[in-house]
């Protein structure tokens, strides 16, 4: 990555992806479209600090992301897989990942993509005070998380935010230094989560919320 990244708008999508599901693909696509992102980097967590052992190893989770990407149409060639966290110290703290990306990408405008459940947790992330100095955020709503809960979560972050809906179709919280948190209304009516997919697999069901190549990979490797 080099100078061609200058002033690009880059989505950073960190997650455990255990496994990657249609909800992840949908929100990445939605964020790319609605926030005019040139690229979305999927950054699987090598050693997620906030989760007990993932159900699948890092390299299986990476392989499932590759399988999912292989099925995407050409318009989604904006999706790129980043294996950065395999190179960084464990556990994989987002602040370290962002600091490293700052060195590697020349001055992009970054948007870290999270679901609303993660926004509620953000003030517990390691060195969370630094996060909004390193990236903006795109929050995608998730069933069960109310707008008022999200507003309270934003208040737990450093600095004071102004809520702004005037020049955009979506809600946006803006801090005086220019850091922004955009809120997108999830296009999916029903929640999809990796937890539900792992539970379905453990009951011997065929999960419908993963794309076929991922389903095939899980079966072939006997995961979960
Ligand atoms: P798990 O159930 O294991 O926590 P998950 O489905 O939440 O898995 P993660 O890998 O934890 O998937 O998610 C990565 C990011 O994507 C998180 O910020 C999460 O909030 C967000 N996310 C995942 N699924 C959805 C969804 N259906 N709608 C909105 N955000 C989502
Ligand atoms: Mg989750």
């Amino acid at each position: 990555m080099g100078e061609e990244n200058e002033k690009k708008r880059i989505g950073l999508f960190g997650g455990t992806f255990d496994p990657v599901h249609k909800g992840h693909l949908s929100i990445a696509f939605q964020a790319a479209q609605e926030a005019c992102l040139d690229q979305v980097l999927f950054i699987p967590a090598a050693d997620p600090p906030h989760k007990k052992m993932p159900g699948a190893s890092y390299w299986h989770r990476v392989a499932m992301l590759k399988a999912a990407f292989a099925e995407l149409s050409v318009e989604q060639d904006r999706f790129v897989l980043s294996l950065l966290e395999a190179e960084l110290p464990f556990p994989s703290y987002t602040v370290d990942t962002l600091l490293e990306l700052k060195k590697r990408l020349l001055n992009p405008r970054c948007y870290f993509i999270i679901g609303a459940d993660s926004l509620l947790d953000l003030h517990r992330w390691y060195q969370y005070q630094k996060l909004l100095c390193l990236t903006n955020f795109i929050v995608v709503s998730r069933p069960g998380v109310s707008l008022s809960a999200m507003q309270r979560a934003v208040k737990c972050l450093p600095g004071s935010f102004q809520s702004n809906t005037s020049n955009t179709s979506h809600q946006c919280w803006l801090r005086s230094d220019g850091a922004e948190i955009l809120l997108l209304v999830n296009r999916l009516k029903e929640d999809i989560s990796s937890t539900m997919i792992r539970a379905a697999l453990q009951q011997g069901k065929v999960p419908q919320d993963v794309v076929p190549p991922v389903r095939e990979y899980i079966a072939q490797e006997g995961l979960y």
Side-chain angles (χ1 to χ4, degrees), residues 16-17 21 24 51 115 117-118 142 186 192-195 198:
T16 314
F17 303 113
H21 54 63
H24 293 128
K51 292 207 176 170
D117 57 313
S118 300
R142 208 164 180 184
N186 206 321
I192 298 177
S193 74
S194 300
T195 300
R198 293 192 302 271

